[in-house]
């Protein structure tokens, strides 16, 4: 049984943790994180389909081995592969669900961040005068 899965070339982290907490930078990072999680969800869906196909192949192979009157240990071993793939599929489904939930929370966080700080950023960005950085008056 071969698999069509292959590592994808990946860039660095989807959102650079550089300490830049300006409004637009945070919005960009949240957007990048959400897109990366969406992409991961698509990859996990493909992985689930592949696992199901391979589990079905293992079950078919176990049946063929049994029908060929080969040693029962080979039937059991081949069947165990199918069972293991089924278990892996369940775990991949859980990971997919977690990635989707995290993506949804990321978009919700981006929207909340925009609601809380968007107007302030507009005021600060459109002002001619320089304004103090956050925390300046907390000394």
């Amino acid at each position: 049984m071969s698999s069509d899965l292959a590592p994808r070339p990946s860039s660095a982290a989807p959102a650079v943790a550089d300490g830049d907490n300006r409004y637009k930078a945070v919005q960009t990072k949240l957007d990048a994180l959400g897109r990366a999680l969406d992409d991961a969800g698509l990859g996990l869906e493909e992985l689930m389909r592949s696992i199901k196909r391979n589990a079905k192949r293992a079950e078919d192979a176990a049946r063929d081995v049994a029908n060929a009157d080969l040693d029962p240990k080979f039937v059991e071993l081949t069947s165990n592969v199918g069972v293991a793939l089924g278990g892996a599929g369940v775990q991949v489904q859980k990971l997919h669900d977690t990635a989707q939930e995290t993506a949804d929370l990321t978009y919700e966080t981006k929207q909340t961040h925009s609601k809380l700080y968007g107007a302030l950023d507009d005021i600060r960005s459109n002002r001619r005068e320089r304004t103090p950085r956050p925390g300046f008056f907390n000394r």
Side-chain angles (χ1 to χ4, degrees), residues 14-90:
V16 180
D18 57 5
D20 186 358
N21 295 324
R22 292 173 298 140
Y23 171 78
K24 288 178 179 71
V26 171
Q27 288 288 303
T28 300
K29 290 174 191 176
L30 287 170
D31 191 47
L33 178 60
R35 282 194 317 269
L37 288 166
D38 287 339
D39 290 345
L42 294 174
L44 289 169
E45 286 176 6
E46 178 58 34
L47 179 60
M48 284 187 299
R49 285 191 294 273
S50 176
I51 287 173
K52 285 181 183 179
R53 281 192 307 266
N54 286 334
K56 176 77 170 99
R57 287 181 193 160
E59 291 170 6
D60 292 346
R63 187 175 43 258
D64 292 344
V65 169
N67 291 337
D69 290 329
L70 294 175
D71 192 328
K73 74 178 180 182
F74 296 115
V75 176
E76 183 179 352
L77 289 172
T78 308
S79 179
N80 286 345
V81 170
V83 171
L85 285 170
V90 169

Side-chain angles (χ1 to χ4, degrees), residues 23 112-127:
Y23 171 78
T112 302
H113 181 259
S114 177
K115 190 184 308 180
L116 293 174
Y117 299 108
L120 178 62
D121 182 67
D122 287 341
I123 291 169
R124 291 189 76 213
S125 298
N126 296 323
R127 200 182 264 178

Side-chain angles (χ1 to χ4, degrees), residues 102-114:
T102 306
D104 293 345
L105 289 171
T106 300
Y107 292 125
E108 184 180 320
T109 300
K110 182 181 176 194
Q111 185 178 27
T112 302
H113 181 259
S114 177

